[in-house]
Amino acid sequence: MITVILIMLVGIVVGIWLRTKPKFVLVNDKLITYAIYLLLLLLGISIGSNKIIVANLPILGVKALVITLGAVFGSVLLAWVTYRVFFKPKEQQ
């Protein structure tokens, strides 16, 4: 775990040092995008090769759908409450 934290701290220091170089920032953005694509591909390969996960995909899919719908509903509800409490003009209440 300490290795991960140290690598992150070194990355933060290097990022602060290099953020004034716009060409590096553009290249870095593209590299990050490709790295994310590669990680998603590797995650898909890992899931596809795991017989237990593939066998339980219908159950996991339903649970994922329920969690997603709950998160979306909760976010919309709290955004509405926040708007009503903090941002709605007084004469409309």
Side-chain angles (χ1 to χ4, degrees):
M1 187 65 175
I2 192 79
T3 305
V4 173
I5 293 172
L6 288 175
I7 290 171
M8 184 74 120
L9 289 175
V10 168
I12 290 171
V13 170
V14 171
I16 290 170
W17 180 63
L18 290 174
R19 71 178 163 194
T20 58
K21 298 171 180 28
K23 189 173 184 179
F24 174 77
V25 172
L26 289 174
V27 171
N28 190 39
D29 285 343
K30 289 187 181 208
L31 288 175
I32 289 172
T33 300
Y34 292 132
I36 291 171
Y37 292 157
L38 177 64
L39 288 172
L40 287 171
L41 174 69
L42 294 173
L43 179 63
I45 291 170
S46 176
I47 289 172
S49 65
N50 189 327
K51 292 178 182 179
I52 296 171
I53 292 177
V54 172
N56 290 313
L57 266 180
I59 296 168
L60 294 173
V62 170
K63 288 181 180 180
L65 179 64
V66 168
I67 291 170
T68 302
L69 291 176
V72 169
F73 178 74
S75 296
V76 169
L77 179 66
L78 287 177
W80 179 76
V81 169
T82 302
Y83 171 75
R84 297 274 301 175
V85 171
F86 295 110
F87 297 107
K88 191 169 184 183
K90 297 292 183 197
E91 60 272 356
Q92 290 183 2
Q93 290 183 352

